[in-house]
Amino acid sequence: MAHKFQFFVLFFFCIFILKAQTSKQIIPGEIWNDNTGTHINAHGGGVLYHKGVYYWYGEHKIAGKIGNTAQVGVGCYSSRDLYKWKNEGIALKVDETNPESDIAKGCILERPKVIYNTKTKKFVMWFHLELKDKGYDAARSGVAFSDSPTGPFVFLQSFRPNTGFWPENVQPFHKKPVADWVKPHYCGGKGCLPAHVDSVNILGRDFKGGQMARDMNLFVDDDGTAYHIYSSEENSTTHISKLTDDYLSYSGQYFRVFPGRYMEGATLFKRKGKYYFIASDCTGWAPNAARSAVAEEIFGEWTELGNPAEGKDSELTFHSQSTFVLKVEGKKDSYIFLGDRWTPDNPIDGRYIWLPIKFENDAPKLYWQDHWSL
Ligand code: GAL
């Protein structure tokens, strides 16, 4: 009898230890439950650290292909340790009543990111917006703000960047007359434009109506200046745009970087005074080999460092696409790559591939881990 009792005590002790251990682990690609026992629903997301709490914002998807359009809005989760996440509900809701709204239910609202403005004390959200039933033609940026990190966020405006402004590194040919056959269209990646994308001068085409902005990220520098980083010119070229001091609009100052390199899923972070960039190639929902780059100044010169992923499945970035790089607060030299493993047939089932970033000769490297902890 005593033996049996000891066995049960040991058994439950082991279960307890196992549970405690798994809750202190990051397990890329598995179901990640929130505090209600539901798979976290925050795709294409980003994380804001504010007053000891991490806030994870992302696309709230629903089941079935319709889930690739925004039926609900932007979800928010909070955590103090990056392991346990509390569902904070929908931070920005799509407009269910006004079909004319820019963010009408059924629009495409992707890759939301939130930053905090210390001057205005507002939380500011930017996202890639495509108007309802217009495919990926609008290529706009959406902006919303809130007094609280968990929302509700108020939708402010959507627009195309830098209407009537040339980038700092504009070239003379950009200002020449533009062939009007270069119509906006989206083909889910590259291949729809000539290899030498500058030959069709999309920058010039969009000068008057505003530059295109699709996959995007935000970055706040040490001096509080915020930047919007996005795939522009039919996804062929990345733009880095300085925002206004209130973070609600464009300042008009911007640079073209990686021309003709078709990067998506751009992320930008700073380490030891240098700027780093991790992004993907441009193949729609299908994974591809990631890219990385480094620069001394945010607007460049950027030097490409190749695919940061190493080992098995590195050519597919471990079946994921970058969405954010998170600096872990209070931990020296600790950065996490946040990626999405998309499931476009049933987007709600999409998984999260979070991996620690290692630096080898100051170049970021990603190695697969079945599970890991900070
Ligand atoms: C991906 C992009 C996603 C989404 C998708 C649509 O390349 O990163 O955010 O826009 O294409 O096909």
Side-chain angles (χ1 to χ4, degrees), residues 44 59 108 110-111 128 136 186 188 214-215 235 264-265 280-286 288 321-322 342:
E59 303 159 29
I108 292 174
E110 293 181 337
R111 298 185 177 272
H128 165 202
Y136 275 83
Y186 183 70
R214 289 195 183 118
D215 279 14
N235 296 342
E264 289 196 312
S280 72
D281 194 352
C282 183
T283 56
W285 299 117
N288 51 51
Q321 184 183 26
S322 45
W342 302 112

Side-chain angles (χ1 to χ4, degrees), residues 5-255:
F5 179 71
Q6 277 168 356
F7 171 78
F8 277 117
V9 169
L10 196 69
F11 178 74
F12 284 114
F13 181 69
C14 287
I15 298 258
F16 174 77
I17 292 288
L18 215 70
K19 260 219 114 33
Q21 275 187 347
T22 46
S23 67
K24 285 272 178 213
Q25 287 198 348
I26 290 175
I27 309 180
E30 291 299 307
I31 293 281
W32 289 10
N33 282 335
D34 65 11
N35 61 315
T36 71
T38 312
H39 182 43
I40 291 176
N41 197 336
H43 309 267
V47 177
L48 167 75
Y49 180 78
H50 185 74
K51 294 192 176 163
V53 180
Y54 294 95
Y55 296 93
W56 175 359
Y57 305 88
E59 303 159 29
H60 182 102
K61 308 272 198 185
I62 66 163
K65 282 195 168 148
I66 193 175
N68 294 313
T69 59
Q71 300 293 317
V72 179
V74 176
C76 177
Y77 294 80
S78 67
S79 173
R80 287 186 178 270
D81 61 8
L82 295 173
Y83 300 112
K84 291 193 292 302
W85 290 93
K86 180 179 173 216
N87 188 342
E88 299 283 2
I90 301 302
L92 173 70
K93 289 197 170 90
V94 295
D95 194 324
E96 293 196 20
T97 52
N98 175 12
E100 299 303 313
S101 163
D102 289 0
I103 58 163
K105 183 176 175 179
C107 68
I108 292 174
L109 195 166
E110 293 181 337
R111 298 185 177 272
K113 305 288 178 296
V114 173
I115 51 180
Y116 178 65
N117 190 300
T118 51
K119 286 187 200 134
T120 63
K121 310 253 180 293
K122 301 279 183 217
F123 296 84
V124 181
M125 179 188 291
W126 283 65
F127 49 89
H128 165 202
L129 179 72
E130 298 291 349
L131 301 175
K132 189 174 183 311
D133 300 329
K134 299 268 191 286
Y136 275 83
D137 283 351
R140 290 195 194 187
S141 302
V143 184
F145 63 91
S146 171
D147 290 327
S148 147
T150 54
F153 279 77
V154 178
F155 175 65
L156 178 66
Q157 57 181 337
S158 86
F159 46 22
R160 278 200 172 186
N162 298 313
T163 307
F165 286 91
W166 292 111
E168 303 273 314
N169 54 349
V170 65
Q171 295 178 41
F173 76 85
H174 286 126
K175 298 188 175 176
K176 289 190 175 155
V178 180
D180 59 2
W181 62 267
V182 189
K183 294 269 188 285
H185 62 294
Y186 183 70
C187 53
K190 54 192 166 190
C192 45
L193 288 168
H196 297 291
V197 71
D198 275 345
S199 66
V200 293
N201 190 10
I202 300 159
L203 186 87
R205 180 198 71 188
D206 291 340
F207 176 73
K208 283 199 190 117
Q211 300 297 326
M212 303 177 87
R214 289 195 183 118
D215 279 14
M216 57 141 275
N217 230 307
L218 296 175
F219 170 74
V220 181
D221 211 338
D222 303 332
D223 64 358
T225 308
Y227 299 87
H228 186 219
I229 304 105
Y230 48 94
S231 308
S232 194
E233 301 178 39
E234 304 285 357
N235 296 342
S236 68
T237 300
T238 305
H239 288 189
I240 301 180
S241 285
K242 187 174 149 188
L243 300 185
T244 48
D245 286 350
D246 58 11
Y247 300 171
L248 297 175
S249 193
Y250 293 98
S251 69
Q253 189 189 14
Y254 70 112
F255 267 76

